[in-house]
């Protein structure tokens, strides 16, 4: 899922304080799961901004609501009339949601209330960690399901660097060496032979460096 966290309230306030009427729009997708941008978070943020506005003398009204997903057109179509009532939408979706809202409502000022951190997983209650960089050229079948692009601080493809010591990355003793994790996993699976394969440089043109990426499934098109 997409992991995100709320921006500091002073940073959010600076984006919206000149607006007359603001809709704090939550998203029922990934950001609800990571407790950053769901309906509850939208209500809390709108209340906090109202209090700040009263204290600092703003002439701004704040309302809140949430939709199922900000990244699907059918849900945006359903709020078109609602959005028309506001001069600003403060999105509590991920960066995709902000982009999509801005495209769908070009006459409305759309600003982000979250910082999108990446694609990851739930480690435990209240803890989420990145697991995928969405590089567009997955090699997890060669590395035991552990991604060297995101787990190695240097995104190395053919083993650890000289800074790896005692299974830890040179950047911090609290960061595991990605390639130590890969080695341990392949050894457990009796597939250390995969480490003998020299991996060619990654085709980075499959990432965002080659422009917007698009997936088309013809059988699903109307």
């Amino acid at each position: 899922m997409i992991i995100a966290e709320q921006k500091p309230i002073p940073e959010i306030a600076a984006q919206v304080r000149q607006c007359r009427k603001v809709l704090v729009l939550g998203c029922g997708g990934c950001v609800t799961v990571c407790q950053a941008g769901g309906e509850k978070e939208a209500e809390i943020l709108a209340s906090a901004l109202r209090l700040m506005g009263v204290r600092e003398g703003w002439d701004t009204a704040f309302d809140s609501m949430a939709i199922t997903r900000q990244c699907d057109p059918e849900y945006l179509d359903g709020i078109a009339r609602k959005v028309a009532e506001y001069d600003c939408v403060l999105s509590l979706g991920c960066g995709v949601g902000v982009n999509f809202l801005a495209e769908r409502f070009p006459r409305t000022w759309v600003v982000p209330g979250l910082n999108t951190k990446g694609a990851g997983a739930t480690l435990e209650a209240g803890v989420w960690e990145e697991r995928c960089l969405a590089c567009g050229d997955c090699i997890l079948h060669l590395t035991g399901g552990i991604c060297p692009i995101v787990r190695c601080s240097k995104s190395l493809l053919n083993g650890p660097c000289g800074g790896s010591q005692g299974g830890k990355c040179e950047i911090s003793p609290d960061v595991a060496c990605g390639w130590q994790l890969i080695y341990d996993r392949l050894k457990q699976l009796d597939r250390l032979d995969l480490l003998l394969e020299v991996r060619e440089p990654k085709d980075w043109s499959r990432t965002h460096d080659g422009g917007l990426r698009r997936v088309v499934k013809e059988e699903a098109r109307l």
Side-chain angles (χ1 to χ4, degrees), residues 151-153 165-178 181:
R151 299 302 291 271
C152 171
S153 300
Q165 298 293 328
K168 301 295 182 180
C169 177
E170 63 183 338
I171 68 169
S172 170
D174 297 324
V175 176
C177 168
L181 296 175

Side-chain angles (χ1 to χ4, degrees), residues 1 24 27 31 45 52 99 113 117 147 157 164 168:
M1 70 177 187
V24 183
C27 178
V31 293
L45 179 57
M52 180 178 286
N99 274 268
K117 309 298 286 187
C147 178
L157 294 176
S164 174
K168 301 295 182 180

